[in-house]
Amino acid sequence: MAGRVTTQAEDLRRRQKLIHELQRQKITFGSSTPAGSFLEMPDSLDAAKGLLDGTLAARAAVKAADGDAQAGAELEKYVSRTGDAEFVKAFLGALGARGLTRLPGSLAMQLRDARAHGDSARMAQLSSHGKKALRMLSAALAKGTNPKDPAYVGDDFLKGLVKEGRALHRAGGTKYSGYQAQALIWRAHDGKPPYSKEFIEVVGRDVIVYEYEQRKDEWAAIKDPLGGRFGGVQLPIVDLAGALGLGTMLRPEAQMGGPCVKSQSSVMEDLFHAAKSNREASHALLDHTPAGWKESVLDYLLTTRWSASRYLCDYKPISDMLMTATTGQDATSKKLAAEMIKILSDEVRGAFGKAGDGNLEITKRDIFDRYAPLSYPLGRAIAANIDQISHILLNQGSFSNVAAKDMSWALVLATANDGAFEALIRAQTEHTRAAFGTVPPVGLTAVNAERLGFTKADVKKYDLDEDGRVDKTDVIQFLKDRAVAEARPFGYLVEIRRQVLIAQGLDDKKADEALKNMVGNAIGLLPVPGSKQVGELGKRAFGEMLGKGYDKFAGAGYDEMAKQVAQRMFEQRRSLDKTHRTLADNRLAVERLSEQMFATAMLNTGMLDGFGVKKQSFATGNPPRIKPFAEMTPQEYSQFLAWARESGGSNELLNSFRTTFRTTSDVNDYLDLDISSSSGDGK
């Protein structure tokens, strides 16, 4: 009893102390509205603490907005509280949409004043305090405007942000729009928590329309002959830091950008930065057509407004947002990916023609350069939907309204970027590994079908000689069929890459370093996650590479799976294939990758079971088994591949793959080229 009394007494003392502090700070409960007065009492100690700290933080923010030099340091005390729902509700509730808009405006004006007076010490202090304050505001704003979060402050607050965003504000004799100030908050975001789709639906969509309304006459004038004659440029609305010439003094160091990026940033690019952390938010922005518009926001950003994005050379926010929005496996992501492919295909095809030797050439460099910054996000969108290339090529299908010719021109732009080409090849490699993973194992019968993850109908399908058992002849035929089907999209990708390198005057005989690394790391040798079977020899060979939750990636998109496999191989920190050092071009690299995948398929299906490995350099133990791949030397690995070719009959598979892979007719037809057979055969 004494212990309980002591504990309760201490709790009562803490509560009493907190109530006294609330009274001392004159913090009132509830609020008055035209509909009446509402009294909301905190129902816990934590809620009361949140109310106290949130109100004090809001007061510090107001003081900072009024120019109090000490208020910034006071506000920093509460940076860690933005994860607390009660704190955020009290903070945003007391600050209001107007106060939240005023604070970044005041910080920017104070910085300008310090710079005007040459006060470097004050500039450094204001910059430091300002960055932390903006990041705090951004975290609180993201949490407080998400209806699914307990910190949600209501629909009226979102509407207030729009009202204040469109309004003109004044500080230090300078006028600026509220969105120019709010944009500094969006750009300070670190993605945690992400902005909600509801925030984007209310505020983000209005920002799109607001800039268009403010700039449409000016942008239209640029297109007339007189505007073009005087070198008119499509200027975006810059954020307040950009308008005041503050550069990156209020932007986190991690977001400084590349060498071509101007020190200014626009309101729209800041919005893209805020939207990129949440797929639903990105979808809400891009998959929308404003009232009275004839084009979607995605179309508008990639065509009508694209010159404004180019002006600041600040491509990372829009690129990141596009990748977030188009690389998912959901219906909206796929819809946006197809729309992006079609738009950029139509825009870029006018930059190219057919050279005298029948290869691709750039005829309008300005068009190609205009859209080159979008090549990486475009490549990632296609990689996330890599199965559509096979669908288009093999089945004469389409991806939404993207036909084979559209996909081809989009790939010309995408494969011009090294990183995009790597993503595409990795995704196609995963697609091929998955296709090989569907091949049945040797010995499949109606008796063991269920245990091995197949049906009796599968046995009839795969048993070509109808003897009731899937044998090695059946398996090799299905592997050959898969090899031919997968070789075609591989060849299509690599030939388009080769053509765009030729068009740019680059050395097309040099293999991409990314492909060399994929070969050297034997990136194709793992079975797909969730494989139905692995042969007896394979279980030991794959070893620890399959551990650590590898199977949990089963069912992931090919693009995502490619990243996971690459990470898995990187962890081994071994280069297994010495031939990658002397690869002459990308075609040889892909053929080597295919050989690695054939070897894996043979191990999976049991095609190599029963062949002796005794006295082989890549074998170990008694009875002898294949060494784990991670323990093989490059020489042992090469000898293993040679043994697999001889024992499992993969030479026939390789020849089938190579013949189809090196055929250039798809690229000839869809890009209207005349690639000679000598240039397509790898000589």
Side-chain angles (χ1 to χ4, degrees):
M1 288 180 64
R4 290 178 62 186
V5 169
T6 301
T7 301
Q8 291 173 356
E10 178 59 30
D11 183 59
L12 288 171
R13 278 193 291 270
R14 286 190 295 119
R15 291 175 184 272
Q16 184 182 48
K17 182 179 179 181
L18 181 57
I19 291 171
H20 287 163
E21 183 63 15
L22 287 166
Q23 290 176 331
R24 189 180 73 81
Q25 296 291 346
K26 297 181 180 180
I27 293 175
T28 58
F29 301 133
S31 59
S32 295
T33 72
S37 297
F38 297 88
L39 189 65
E40 183 178 349
M41 296 289 291
D43 58 3
S44 68
L45 193 63
D46 288 341
K49 179 64 172 171
L51 174 63
L52 172 63
D53 288 350
T55 304
L56 294 179
R59 289 177 182 175
V62 171
K63 288 181 181 178
D66 290 337
D68 187 331
Q70 305 303 318
E74 179 68 21
L75 188 59
E76 280 187 32
K77 295 178 182 178
Y78 302 99
V79 167
S80 63
R81 297 300 310 278
T82 53
D84 182 340
E86 297 296 339
F87 171 86
V88 170
K89 286 174 69 175
F91 177 61
L92 293 181
L95 193 58
R98 182 169 181 78
L100 181 134
T101 305
R102 284 185 62 229
L103 180 55
S106 177
L107 291 172
M109 294 302 173
Q110 291 176 54
L111 257 174
R112 184 183 68 170
D113 180 72
R115 186 188 62 183
H117 288 86
D119 191 340
S120 57
R122 183 171 170 238
M123 284 174 61
Q125 183 184 53
L126 286 170
S127 176
S128 176
H129 288 326
K131 290 175 183 178
K132 293 175 182 177
L134 290 173
R135 178 151 284 182
M136 175 187 174
L137 285 175
S138 195
L141 184 61
K143 194 173 177 67
T145 54
N146 183 357
K148 297 184 180 69
D149 196 294
Y152 186 56
V153 290
D155 297 350
D156 288 342
F157 189 86
L158 281 169
K159 295 174 183 176
L161 290 173
V162 171
K163 178 182 177 182
E164 294 297 333
R166 283 180 167 266
L168 280 178
H169 296 254
R170 184 189 296 273
T174 299
K175 291 182 180 179
Y176 59 92
S177 75
Y179 280 142
Q180 287 181 286
Q182 290 181 24
L184 301 182
I185 300 175
W186 310 331
R187 193 55 177 258
H189 197 49
D190 64 358
K192 300 175 183 178
Y195 279 95
S196 68
K197 72 179 182 64
E198 289 80 7
F199 174 84
I200 295 298
E201 285 171 347
V202 177
V203 179
R205 289 176 178 177
D206 188 68
V207 172
I208 298 282
V209 174
Y210 173 76
E211 186 195 55
Y212 173 73
E213 292 172 347
Q214 296 294 312
R215 287 287 192 261
K216 63 179 179 180
D217 292 340
E218 178 184 317
W219 291 352
I222 294 170
K223 296 180 180 179
D224 67 34
L226 185 60
R229 189 181 307 158
F230 288 95
V233 292
Q234 193 169 335
L235 295 174
I237 295 178
V238 295
D239 61 27
L240 190 53
L244 298 179
L246 299 178
T248 57
M249 284 190 281
L250 288 174
R251 194 187 307 173
E253 285 76 4
Q255 302 173 12
M256 294 308 183
C260 80
V261 179
K262 294 179 171 64
S263 59
Q264 292 177 316
S265 187
S266 86
V267 170
M268 290 280 279
E269 270 63 37
D270 295 346
L271 176 66
F272 302 155
H273 175 81
K276 73 178 184 180
S277 300
N278 183 355
R279 181 157 285 141
E280 284 189 341
S282 297
H283 287 172
L285 192 66
L286 299 176
D287 188 29
H288 172 67
T289 301
W293 286 29
K294 295 181 180 179
E295 58 186 348
S296 69
V297 171
L298 176 61
D299 195 335
Y300 166 74
L301 295 179
L302 299 183
T303 56
T304 304
R305 191 191 179 275
W306 182 240
S307 290
S309 285
R310 292 189 71 212
Y311 173 74
L312 293 175
C313 195
D314 189 12
Y315 300 121
K316 186 170 177 19
I318 192 169
S319 293
D320 289 349
M321 180 183 64
L322 288 170
M323 286 188 285
T324 298
T326 62
T327 57
Q329 295 301 300
D330 57 279
T332 304
S333 293
K334 289 180 176 295
K335 174 189 173 186
L336 289 170
E339 186 178 352
M340 179 181 178
I341 291 167
K342 177 62 175 167
I343 291 168
L344 293 180
S345 170
D346 290 343
E347 294 295 326
V348 81
R349 69 180 67 189
F352 295 92
K354 180 170 66 176
D357 60 2
N359 289 313
L360 191 70
E361 72 171 344
I362 297 176
T363 56
K364 295 181 180 179
R365 186 80 198 198
D366 59 323
I367 297 178
F368 175 73
D369 290 343
R370 175 180 175 80
Y371 290 102
L374 290 169
S375 58
Y376 183 68
L378 174 62
R380 288 289 308 278
I382 300 174
N385 295 278
I386 199 72
D387 54 326
Q388 295 299 328
I389 292 181
S390 293
H391 174 64
I392 287 172
L393 291 179
L394 303 179
N395 305 323
Q396 288 75 52
S398 63
F399 178 30
S400 187
N401 63 339
V402 175
K405 187 176 283 288
D406 302 317
M407 182 66 80
S408 301
W409 284 112
L411 282 168
V412 168
L413 178 61
T415 57
N417 181 279
D418 293 349
F421 178 63
E422 177 183 357
L424 287 160
I425 290 295
R426 286 189 186 277
Q428 182 57 41
T429 299
E430 293 312 307
H431 188 275
T432 302
R433 293 194 322 115
F436 289 166
T438 65
V439 175
V442 173
L444 179 68
T445 65
V447 175
N448 62 20
E450 186 175 349
R451 178 172 58 83
L452 295 176
F454 293 87
T455 66
K456 291 181 180 180
D458 289 331
V459 177
K460 290 183 179 181
K461 174 183 176 182
Y462 296 130
D463 180 18
L464 299 179
D465 55 12
E466 299 182 349
D467 63 355
R469 180 180 183 275
V470 176
D471 56 26
K472 290 187 177 181
T473 302
D474 298 325
V475 173
I476 203 73
Q477 183 58 52
F478 277 97
L479 278 172
K480 185 189 295 186
D481 291 343
R482 299 298 183 276
V484 171
E486 294 300 311
R488 196 168 167 190
F490 254 129
Y492 175 70
L493 288 171
V494 172
E495 182 58 32
I496 289 179
R497 165 70 169 180
R498 196 177 76 88
Q499 286 297 316
V500 79
L501 291 178
I502 291 173
Q504 294 180 88
L506 302 175
D507 180 9
D508 67 302
K509 295 299 181 184
K510 181 178 180 296
D512 287 271
E513 287 303 314
L515 258 176
K516 280 189 174 184
N517 290 334
M518 289 173 67
V519 173
N521 294 332
I523 205 73
L525 64 78
L526 290 180
V528 295
S531 292
K532 293 179 179 178
Q533 72 286 319
V534 175
E536 288 300 318
L537 287 176
K539 290 177 182 177
R540 178 179 175 85
F542 299 129
E544 293 181 358
M545 290 181 179
L546 301 185
K548 301 177 183 176
Y550 181 69
D551 271 357
K552 74 180 181 181
F553 300 115
Y558 300 117
D559 186 38
E560 180 62 27
M561 194 59 239
K563 290 183 283 186
Q564 299 297 338
V565 171
Q567 179 62 31
R568 183 67 46 124
M569 299 307 298
F570 175 77
E571 290 171 357
Q572 304 302 317
R573 298 184 183 277
R574 291 287 302 275
S575 180
L576 288 177
D577 199 329
K578 62 182 180 182
T579 65
H580 74 284
R581 302 187 187 97
T582 57
L583 288 172
D585 65 17
N586 288 332
R587 287 169 296 198
L588 294 175
V590 169
E591 287 172 1
R592 188 65 170 185
L593 273 178
S594 69
E595 183 177 8
Q596 294 170 351
M597 287 187 279
F598 290 142
T600 295
M602 289 178 176
L603 284 172
N604 284 354
T605 57
M607 287 283 288
L608 299 175
D609 290 352
F611 289 100
V613 294
K614 189 176 181 180
K615 296 183 180 179
Q616 297 287 353
S617 65
F618 52 84
T620 185
N622 190 18
R625 292 285 185 269
I626 295 176
K627 284 183 181 180
F629 285 124
E631 297 177 10
M632 288 186 188
T633 65
Q635 291 78 11
E636 290 169 344
Y637 181 66
S638 291
Q639 288 164 12
F640 160 74
L641 291 179
W643 174 80
R645 284 197 304 271
E646 296 166 5
S647 301
S650 63
N651 274 327
E652 186 179 2
L653 297 176
L654 286 168
N655 287 335
S656 297
F657 183 93
R658 187 177 189 275
T659 300
T660 304
F661 171 64
R662 288 180 177 259
T663 301
T664 61
S665 57
D666 287 326
V667 179
N668 268 333
D669 293 343
Y670 297 133
L671 296 183
D672 299 318
L673 302 178
D674 187 19
I675 307 166
S676 65
S677 58
S678 61
S679 67
D681 63 5
K683 294 179 182 178

